Amino acid sequence: MTIVYRARRIITMNPTRPQATHVAVRDGRVLAVGSLEEMAGWGRFDLDERFADKVLMPGFVEGHSHLGEGGNWRWIYCGFHDRTDPDGRVWPGLKSIEAMVQRLQAAEATFQDPDQPVVAWGFDPIYFGEQRVNRHDLDRVSNRRAVAVMHASGHITNANTKALELAGYMHTDHDHPGILLGADKLPDGELRSPDAMTPVLIKVGAGKGVASADEAGMRAFSKLAVRCGVTTATDLATPIPDEAVQALLRLTAEDDYAVRLVPAMHVRGQTVEQAIERARSLRERSTDRLRMGRIKAHADGSIQGFSARLRWPGYYNGAPQGLWYVEPEYLLRVYSEALAAGLQMHTHTNGDAAIDLAIDCTQAALRAHPSPDHRFTLQHCQLADRAQMRRMKELGMCANFFANHHFYWGDAHYAMTLGPDRAERMNPCASATEIGLPWTIHSDAPVTPMGPLHVAWCAVNRRTASGRLLGAHERISVEQALHAITLGAAYTLHLDGEVGSIECGKHADFAVLDEDPLTVAPERLKDIAVWGTVHGGRVFAASTL
């Protein structure tokens, strides 16, 4: 059966037919785009006018997110900014460390199981100046339960004394740079980098594999995707254990699951040979709605967590240099073997030193294994300069910029982490466009909330939370931002032949908007309401979730 949807306007992202009023859908794919008269040539159809006052766009493609955007809601939200959960409830942001402790105390008082740990997420002390949280602060929540507070970046966790004891950390002979010590030489409770955090997170039931295999979290993720117009999304750093693969295959095949998932297996804890073999086997199990076989590596940490690797002169406030999360030799080997196996690499690179490492490794790997159209993508890539981007273009690489940083951490980058000049050139979308480097933008949900229109607003307006304009020369047009969250993101995932535009043969994936992003003021881009989505021809209304 063919269904023709009428809309106030259809923004196709297809330059040969950029706008239309009707789109025909058959067997979950776009059959035709144009006027009602043009639809008649395909034979009989049913006309559906439910979107007659709406604007249709290609379903948004979130090129860097994590299933934790849904799964984290099993724990306690402790972020600075207000946040909406999968059921539409708004959780007020916490404006002080004391407010965070009080929210955790209130939650702990309701626990019936005496051994249940207190786990929170979304916290970031950078909003509170030089003040940091230590184990004694969290001992106020409980000194008999383990307490762990995961930072918004995902690269730092704070723990109380009980959690540190369970992880075997309460001794004085540590030499790991990610285990911060107090004056007594004991851990002060702040743990930086996966190596340092993982023993605690496992003890409190918050290891990375938990989110990967959590069916309730996967369903919550689908709800959040509908609410913000996303029809294709990544889980861009997951161990993808066998139980997660089974759950993903089952859920994505269900008629009420509303998002195409593209997980990338992270290489942490595996030899190069193990990682390549596992990725190849996962690729063979892919389906239309679950695309596996991509690999993720982390080169460094986060800028706001002071764990990103920066080139000279380092951090603006004199903080110690950040951390390497991977050995350069390992990164080069996994790049080389991935190219040989035809597997795509995505690499977390926040700092410019990390970007240098990834570019150098790509160049060396390509000498051994020339691979046209590999599209190795640097994720975040926040401090890439023009020389680095020229090298990336010549090597066939892509960039996925973390544009949300302008709003959420721009003020801190300007005054604390980077200083004015580097902060104003962060996430250089305009320069990348001029150079011809393929690029997109992302939320890194749950680090920041999933919402492509907000990310687009950040790239277009580059305003911080205080209203500062951060890098006027790197602002882009609304049209460029819309391309980034559709075809641009699809390109970095090797899916631009299937999604990212509304044109004949592609999946019938649409974002349904209440207003037209091409006619509203650019300052209002983030405020456009999302009615819901169409995914493979199936309609999902946000109001019915």
Side-chain angles (χ1 to χ4, degrees), residues 256-306:
D256 62 350
Y257 201 77
V259 62
R260 181 174 295 99
L261 291 177
V262 188
M265 182 200 72
H266 69 59
V267 297
R268 191 180 305 125
Q270 301 182 78
T271 66
V272 171
E273 293 76 16
Q274 289 170 335
I276 296 299
E277 180 54 35
R278 175 69 172 161
R280 292 170 89 166
S281 67
L282 288 170
R283 181 174 59 184
E284 297 305 312
R285 302 182 68 182
S286 291
T287 67
D288 176 59
R289 298 183 193 171
L290 179 64
R291 302 303 181 85
M292 299 182 287
R294 292 158 181 80
I295 300 177
K296 173 74 178 290
H298 285 75
D300 66 345
S302 73
I303 298 171
Q304 71 274 23
F306 300 99

Side-chain angles (χ1 to χ4, degrees), residues 87-320:
D87 294 321
R89 176 183 174 183
V90 177
W91 290 79
L94 302 177
K95 305 306 181 185
S96 68
I97 291 174
E98 182 61 28
M100 182 266 289
V101 171
Q102 290 177 3
R103 181 171 287 181
L104 296 181
Q105 289 172 332
E108 192 273 341
T110 68
F111 290 0
Q112 300 299 314
D113 182 350
D115 297 320
Q116 180 179 346
V118 180
V119 184
W121 66 284
F123 176 68
D124 197 333
I126 201 168
Y127 296 115
F128 311 125
E130 298 298 323
Q131 188 178 6
R132 309 293 289 188
V133 172
N134 58 43
R135 61 186 170 93
H136 304 295
D137 294 315
L138 299 184
D139 286 344
R140 293 170 53 204
V141 177
S142 178
N143 54 23
R144 62 187 180 90
R145 299 179 190 272
V147 180
V149 179
M150 296 178 284
H151 286 214
S153 69
H155 294 274
I156 302 175
T157 293
N158 285 99
N160 73 339
T161 302
K162 181 65 173 180
L164 294 168
E165 289 174 350
L166 291 174
Y169 275 169
M170 288 303 290
H171 54 85
T172 59
D173 56 346
H174 293 284
D175 61 0
H176 192 294
I179 302 175
L180 276 63
L181 305 177
D184 57 3
K185 306 301 182 183
L186 289 169
D188 76 353
E190 184 167 309
L191 307 169
R192 302 180 178 182
S193 82
D195 288 348
M197 298 186 304
T198 298
V200 164
L201 295 178
I202 289 175
K203 291 297 182 181
V204 300
K208 188 68 177 179
V210 173
S212 299
D214 174 35
E215 186 168 320
M218 295 177 196
R219 295 189 187 280
F221 185 91
S222 177
K223 288 184 179 182
L224 289 164
V226 171
R227 292 187 185 280
C228 60
V230 169
T231 55
T232 297
T234 54
D235 183 17
L236 208 71
T238 168
I240 322 185
D242 289 339
E243 60 269 26
V245 175
Q246 294 300 325
L248 286 165
L249 287 168
R250 184 176 68 256
L251 263 65
T252 54
E254 293 180 357
D255 286 341
D256 62 350
Y257 201 77
V259 62
R260 181 174 295 99
L261 291 177
V262 188
M265 182 200 72
H266 69 59
V267 297
R268 191 180 305 125
Q270 301 182 78
T271 66
V272 171
E273 293 76 16
Q274 289 170 335
I276 296 299
E277 180 54 35
R278 175 69 172 161
R280 292 170 89 166
S281 67
L282 288 170
R283 181 174 59 184
E284 297 305 312
R285 302 182 68 182
S286 291
T287 67
D288 176 59
R289 298 183 193 171
L290 179 64
R291 302 303 181 85
M292 299 182 287
R294 292 158 181 80
I295 300 177
K296 173 74 178 290
H298 285 75
D300 66 345
S302 73
I303 298 171
Q304 71 274 23
F306 300 99
S307 56
R309 292 292 298 196
L310 305 186
R311 296 191 301 203
W312 184 91
Y315 285 98
Y316 188 53
N317 66 349

Side-chain angles (χ1 to χ4, degrees), residues 77-96:
Y77 176 64
C78 285
F80 184 81
H81 296 276
D82 295 355
R83 190 91 172 222
T84 303
D85 71 18
D87 294 321
R89 176 183 174 183
V90 177
W91 290 79
L94 302 177
K95 305 306 181 185
S96 68

